[in-house]
Amino acid sequence: MMSFLPLGFTAPLALAALLLLPAIWWLLRLIPPRPRQVAFPPARLLADIDKREETPDKSPLWLTLLRLGLAAALIVALAGPVWRPVADAPAGDGPLWLVVDNGWASAVDWETQRATAERLLETAAEQARPVLLAATAEGPDQPLVPQSARAALERLRALEPRAWPTARGELTLNLRKAAAEEAPGAVIWLSTDSAASADPRFVDDLRAISGDAALTVYTGLQRPMVLAAAQNDVDALTATLVRPAGTQGPVTVRALDRKGLVIGETQATFGEDETSGSVRFALPVELRNDIARLEVSGEASAAGVQLLDDRSQRRTVGLVSGASIDQAQPLLSPLYYLDRALSPFTELRRPRADNLDEAVPTLIDEGVSVLIMADVGRLRDPVRDEVARWVDQGGVLVRFAGPRLAGGSDDLVPTPLRAGDRALGGSLSWDDPQPLSGFSAQSPFAGLEVPKDVTVNRQVLAEPGPDLSEHSWALLADGTPLVTASQRGRGRLILFHVSADTAWSNLPLSGTFVEMLRRIVSLSGTATPMAEAGGDATGAARPAGDPASVLPPVRVLNGYGRLGPPPASAVPMDPAREVAASRRHPPGLYGHDDALRAVNLFTKAAEVTALDIAPLRDTAEIAAYPTQTASDLRPLFFTLALLLLFADALAMIWLRGDRRPLRGRFATSAGAALLALGLVALPGERALAQETSADLMALDASLDTRLAYVLTGDARRDETSRQGLYGLTRFLASRTALEPEAPMGVDIARDELAFFPLLYWPISEDTARPSPEALARIDTYMRNGGTILFDTADQLSSGISGVGTSPSVLRLRAVLDGLDIPPLEPVPADHVLTKAFYLLDTFPGRYTGSPLWVEASQRDTGGISGRPVRAGDGVSPVLITGNDFAAAWAIDEAGTYLYPTVPPDQTQRDFAFRSGVNIVMYALTGNYKADQVHIPALLERLGQ
């Protein structure tokens, strides 16, 4: 390059063409303009005879100068003018060593760095000087030998910023070998001012390797912003942004989905004179879970990007309880401990509907990742089929045991279960409460510390089988499973063989319970076919280090923060270990398209520290990158030549006299479009509320306490039920403070049941089986605290699960088969029902041979002996008898008994009414008689 003060030329020999300008002058003056052409018609000829202007015989001076300027502009443009050219000529005669930092910190000012390197290499090419080019992020595999400057220039143009830190120390050995073969003549280091762990040693090594050669270090590049520590919290997605000191102004961070669409933008919040700020995206959890990338707007650097994978998503967990509403008190609800354990790291969803037929499908439609069912026994077939499809598509179903599950379950469990439960400890059990033995090495619980203080006093048992051990994730000390799991399609079935509350074990009180749930939740959203995911039929992952479980790189970030194909140096990562970003593991996405693991450049907020080059200040020249770059003036001169060419063309048109006035024709059209919008407000008549029969029934049922009976369609039996409840209502009003109104008959398929605390349902052999919709309404009613008294009126004495085979019993079984009924037992002597109002030991009706069946309650394995009433919570949703209570209670308007007792006994009828009073009080007040405050009065009345 040849320069004259601040102006230089890349092709100075082209300026020799300026010597031809005099010849061009002579030619332009010698050749006149083209003659003027005039039309020949006589009228036109006469009109133009008297012309004052004459056509010259040679070019005017101003036109000649214009054309000379056009020629001069073209010559200067072809000479390659450059404003403020920089000529870098490193000292020394040996090879030029050019060390270029191309790590993640170079992306911000890469053009400045590369332009400086290109000027140095072009100067070396003019001097025919060999160059050793070393890129500090490329590792030791690059050719670190001197080569021609043109070859080095081609390598430089192929270089790009990398998304991982520089590894300057890896180059030391090869640089020493190169210096031993041929000492460098000059060493230039284009640094990025960012420090790494091995940088201090590299600085000392570079000073020693340089020897007597001139060492120059360029510094002063802009430091990038660092985005780190992205976390999906309870109410927002947060991250930390670190900006270089001295940076002012707002910083915008964008959130994008996997398709690159912007989900949200926010500005980072910084304190006064602070370099570290916070980023917060307060979006709904559905939108936050769609975020796959955070990036600093306008910052083209991998440091300003945070990739999010399934681990960053806040899983949506649906909670469903099979317990009735009176057990949903905070400390008694089966969902209480699940809520406390899961809420810090998941988004919890509870169904608005109490009907499981509506609640479970609604949760699935809301996109829950995990569905947890606490003590839910059998699901009805439509709901069961929908849950099964959801699991097959990748959902995780977690079930907890309880009385209902012990009474019977569907097939959505990992392994077949034995009927009933197993009690450990207490006076009726030979076994002691069992501690945890350990966790399977093939389960997600592997590595968890086994708590020594956790014991289990009740559990549901799995049927023994050859594959039971493969399905067991956690075991008790006696070898029975605590947690079992199995793979179903792309999802998993997981069962805790204890309840979700503290009734069966104290596991929910331990920190291990929280960690177990955390690891189960982490399985959701990443379920893949086991052939791809590297698992087995149990849903357990393969051990860490298994070659089949490594995650190959799919897409990685380049230095500018854009995803692309992985380089050849990238290798798969082990999912069991935390991997730091490096040349072998570039930041990006690893795994499979449906189960990706993100590796980020920064996982924790850390300020970018400056490179310490103080050891080189005495022996090296510390230079700043040029702030003013050379300007290529060729476009300017070519544009000037083009403008002069246009001016020459206009001048020729003017000199030929072909000047025709431009007459524009402006066609104006005035269009006035008037749009008349008639808004007619029709006065609406006020609609009057129409009271329907359903409204009247709701008012009557809600304004007063009433007992209700189920309409069976048999007029005689329905009338007996009405008369029986009418007699019980009269007895309640005369003997207690309760004054209910007349009973009501309800259609279970149509009427609202929530108004009534107790439903009396007579069952006979011709009772129609309710429709699926009606069964769902009944199940919802019982879950919300309602109680149904089933009466077969056939002296049922063998129990509904025993050997009873009467037609009414068979019909009752058919009705209950579609409901989630807990295990039942005859009313024990210490049950609250025996002391709810009267002290009773039997519950006779018209007949006296049938026991009264209630929900089996858990016995206190370590409770207080001699307690007159069993402690417990909740009201049994089901009562079953065969003693025909309605016939015993039935009276007419005059108070006359309509049906005799069998055998005829007034005392039996009196006890039938007392049984009815206890049943109503039990349905209304629950277990209040089990409170400790009533114990002295009960003992006194019992004579103890």
Side-chain angles (χ1 to χ4, degrees), residues 76 196 252 412 488 500 678 841 856:
V76 174
T252 302
L412 294 180
R488 182 187 175 101
D841 53 5

PDB file of all heavy atoms in Angstrom, residues 76 196 252 412 488 500 678 841 856:
ATOM      1  N   VAL A  76      -9.122   7.569 -10.014  1.00  0.00           N
ATOM      2  CA  VAL A  76      -8.840   7.511  -8.568  1.00  0.00           C
ATOM      3  C   VAL A  76      -9.561   6.334  -7.920  1.00  0.00           C
ATOM      4  O   VAL A  76      -9.021   5.647  -7.045  1.00  0.00           O
ATOM      5  CB  VAL A  76      -9.227   8.842  -7.900  1.00  0.00           C
ATOM      6  CG1 VAL A  76      -9.089   8.753  -6.383  1.00  0.00           C
ATOM      7  CG2 VAL A  76      -8.376   9.985  -8.438  1.00  0.00           C
ATOM      8  N   ALA A 196      -8.840 -16.737  32.511  1.00  0.00           N
ATOM      9  CA  ALA A 196      -9.178 -18.146  32.715  1.00  0.00           C
ATOM     10  C   ALA A 196      -8.293 -18.685  33.826  1.00  0.00           C
ATOM     11  O   ALA A 196      -7.354 -18.021  34.280  1.00  0.00           O
ATOM     12  CB  ALA A 196      -9.003 -18.947  31.425  1.00  0.00           C
ATOM     13  N   THR A 252     -32.259  -5.125  27.984  1.00  0.00           N
ATOM     14  CA  THR A 252     -33.459  -5.915  27.730  1.00  0.00           C
ATOM     15  C   THR A 252     -33.087  -7.374  27.530  1.00  0.00           C
ATOM     16  O   THR A 252     -32.143  -7.687  26.803  1.00  0.00           O
ATOM     17  CB  THR A 252     -34.204  -5.392  26.489  1.00  0.00           C
ATOM     18  OG1 THR A 252     -34.549  -4.011  26.697  1.00  0.00           O
ATOM     19  CG2 THR A 252     -35.473  -6.192  26.243  1.00  0.00           C
ATOM     20  N   LEU A 412     -54.286 -49.869  36.846  1.00  0.00           N
ATOM     21  CA  LEU A 412     -53.291 -48.810  36.697  1.00  0.00           C
ATOM     22  C   LEU A 412     -52.380 -48.769  37.923  1.00  0.00           C
ATOM     23  O   LEU A 412     -52.231 -47.745  38.598  1.00  0.00           O
ATOM     24  CB  LEU A 412     -53.979 -47.457  36.479  1.00  0.00           C
ATOM     25  CG  LEU A 412     -54.762 -47.320  35.170  1.00  0.00           C
ATOM     26  CD1 LEU A 412     -55.407 -45.951  35.069  1.00  0.00           C
ATOM     27  CD2 LEU A 412     -53.862 -47.568  33.973  1.00  0.00           C
ATOM     28  N   ARG A 488     -45.124 -47.999  31.290  1.00  0.00           N
ATOM     29  CA  ARG A 488     -46.335 -48.233  30.484  1.00  0.00           C
ATOM     30  C   ARG A 488     -46.290 -47.284  29.306  1.00  0.00           C
ATOM     31  O   ARG A 488     -46.454 -46.070  29.475  1.00  0.00           O
ATOM     32  CB  ARG A 488     -47.598 -48.027  31.299  1.00  0.00           C
ATOM     33  CG  ARG A 488     -48.876 -48.317  30.496  1.00  0.00           C
ATOM     34  CD  ARG A 488     -50.125 -47.958  31.266  1.00  0.00           C
ATOM     35  NE  ARG A 488     -51.291 -48.130  30.430  1.00  0.00           N
ATOM     36  CZ  ARG A 488     -52.125 -49.169  30.464  1.00  0.00           C
ATOM     37  NH1 ARG A 488     -51.902 -50.140  31.330  1.00  0.00           N
ATOM     38  NH2 ARG A 488     -53.165 -49.241  29.650  1.00  0.00           N
ATOM     39  N   ALA A 500     -50.503 -41.137  51.818  1.00  0.00           N
ATOM     40  CA  ALA A 500     -49.810 -39.873  51.612  1.00  0.00           C
ATOM     41  C   ALA A 500     -49.769 -39.028  52.870  1.00  0.00           C
ATOM     42  O   ALA A 500     -49.075 -38.001  52.891  1.00  0.00           O
ATOM     43  CB  ALA A 500     -50.480 -39.083  50.483  1.00  0.00           C
ATOM     44  N   GLY A 678     -76.715   3.306  11.046  1.00  0.00           N
ATOM     45  CA  GLY A 678     -77.870   3.463  11.947  1.00  0.00           C
ATOM     46  C   GLY A 678     -77.830   2.441  13.053  1.00  0.00           C
ATOM     47  O   GLY A 678     -77.907   1.247  12.789  1.00  0.00           O
ATOM     48  N   ASP A 841     -75.405 -50.820  71.335  1.00  0.00           N
ATOM     49  CA  ASP A 841     -74.502 -51.883  70.922  1.00  0.00           C
ATOM     50  C   ASP A 841     -75.048 -52.662  69.740  1.00  0.00           C
ATOM     51  O   ASP A 841     -74.347 -53.490  69.155  1.00  0.00           O
ATOM     52  CB  ASP A 841     -74.220 -52.843  72.081  1.00  0.00           C
ATOM     53  CG  ASP A 841     -75.490 -53.375  72.704  1.00  0.00           C
ATOM     54  OD1 ASP A 841     -76.585 -53.074  72.179  1.00  0.00           O
ATOM     55  OD2 ASP A 841     -75.395 -54.112  73.703  1.00  0.00           O
ATOM     56  N   ALA A 856     -64.358 -49.261  57.206  1.00  0.00           N
ATOM     57  CA  ALA A 856     -63.378 -49.791  58.155  1.00  0.00           C
ATOM     58  C   ALA A 856     -62.395 -48.690  58.518  1.00  0.00           C
ATOM     59  O   ALA A 856     -61.768 -48.085  57.647  1.00  0.00           O
ATOM     60  CB  ALA A 856     -62.655 -50.986  57.555  1.00  0.00           C
TER      61      ALA A 856
END
